[in-house]
Amino acid sequence: AQKVTQAQTEISVVEKEDVTLDCVYETRDTTYYLFWYKQPPSGELVFLIRRNSFDEQNEISGRYSWNFQKSTSSFNFTITASQVVDSAVYFCALSEASGYSTLTFGKGTMLLVSP
Amino acid sequence: NAGVMQNPRHLVRRRGQEARLRCSPMKGHSHVYWYRQLPEEGLKFMVYLQKENIIDESGMPKERFSAEFPKEGPSILRIQQVVRGDSAAYFCASKTSADTQYFGPGTRLTVL
């Protein structure tokens, strides 16, 4: 069975601080995908990134970066120089690398960025 | 290219009524997933459909819930005889044969 753990329920930072959201996963699959989604206060779910299990290169996209470490089953997400608009709930998710691809989500981390 | 559309965005029903939630996938997407977000429980998979077929309904309650994705028209999630515990946000996601699911804005169901 697959499992995703986001141990941080809520994080509060002040604008311009860096913040890292942790994600630890469990799976028996040898190939799988990892995802991050953002849920702003308006409620929609916004896709941020997908990572293949065979690609451990870190990725940077603007102020966002992701650190995938297979050895520790972690896929952490860092926001550099946080902004108020980053305030949202962030979900880490896992799916097997097959056509089914149903997502197993963590419970989410609520990030509050204050001005 | 329009994103995933869901309607209604908000739905209020009294106990015992039926709720119908609609999802129009992104253009070119033939795979549809439904997820439910309950308070304190996070997002849970309910059902996975391709055109005219239910592929996996392992996350959907056996009673009162059904889903379809007809050849023409949107996917429908139907909840019969709603109860207060059905109050939640219901999200639809779609994808191509590739593996990234794109989500709609959700339908917030409130059962009075």
Side-chain angles (χ1 to χ4, degrees):
Chain A
Q2 299 184 331
K3 184 179 180 182
V4 176
T5 302
Q6 294 180 256
Q8 304 148 309
T9 305
E10 190 173 320
I11 301 175
S12 292
V13 299
V14 177
E15 213 171 13
K16 297 183 184 172
E17 284 185 27
D18 299 347
V19 58
T20 295
L21 309 181
D22 297 332
C23 173
V24 174
Y25 62 92
E26 296 174 30
T27 181
R28 292 179 183 168
D29 296 321
T30 53
T31 55
Y32 48 89
Y33 293 113
L34 293 160
F35 302 80
W36 278 93
Y37 287 86
K38 173 183 179 180
Q39 187 174 39
S42 51
E44 71 271 26
L45 280 162
V46 179
F47 166 74
L48 295 178
I49 189 172
R50 185 188 84 182
R51 209 83 185 117
N52 300 336
S53 56
F54 51 82
D55 182 0
E56 287 194 69
Q57 280 193 349
N58 292 331
E59 183 154 342
I60 298 174
S61 176
R63 295 184 297 107
Y64 295 172
S65 62
W66 290 270
N67 182 356
F68 175 31
Q69 292 197 343
K70 214 167 178 178
S71 59
T72 57
S73 297
S74 65
F75 185 42
N76 297 336
F77 173 28
T78 297
I79 302 174
T80 303
S82 60
Q83 299 176 1
V84 173
V85 293
D86 295 327
S87 296
V89 180
Y90 291 86
F91 291 96
C92 181
L94 168 69
S95 77
E96 62 182 76
S98 73
Y100 274 41
S101 304
T102 61
L103 290 167
T104 299
F105 283 89
K107 291 198 171 181
T109 297
M110 178 179 289
L111 174 64
L112 179 60
V113 182
S114 304
Chain B
N1 192 10
V4 179
M5 310 287 283
Q6 288 188 252
N7 67 81
R9 294 291 303 274
H10 300 274
L11 182 61
V12 179
R13 286 287 179 266
R14 296 190 181 279
R15 281 179 296 167
Q17 291 184 319
E18 179 179 288
R20 281 187 180 235
L21 288 61
R22 294 175 188 77
C23 169
S24 296
M26 287 176 72
K27 189 175 181 180
H29 288 195
S30 58
H31 302 243
V32 165
Y33 299 77
W34 286 92
Y35 294 84
R36 179 165 64 175
Q37 186 174 29
L38 286 163
E40 309 301 324
E41 286 194 22
L43 284 145
K44 302 287 187 187
F45 164 75
M46 298 182 73
V47 61
Y48 165 35
L49 309 104
Q50 292 182 27
K51 281 289 186 181
E52 300 185 275
N53 290 305
I54 296 176
I55 307 301
D56 182 354
E57 56 183 348
S58 60
M60 196 159 66
K62 297 287 187 288
E63 305 290 329
R64 303 185 298 108
F65 285 73
S66 62
E68 62 177 12
F69 188 18
K71 188 176 180 181
E72 301 291 337
S75 175
I76 307 286
L77 180 67
R78 183 183 178 206
I79 311 172
Q80 295 178 289
Q81 300 176 324
V82 295
V83 301
R84 288 218 173 105
D86 297 333
S87 294
Y90 292 82
F91 288 93
C92 165
S94 74
K95 73 177 185 79
T96 62
S97 55
D99 291 296
T100 297
Q101 295 178 33
Y102 294 91
F103 283 81
T107 294
R108 270 83 184 160
L109 172 65
T110 301
V111 180
L112 301 177

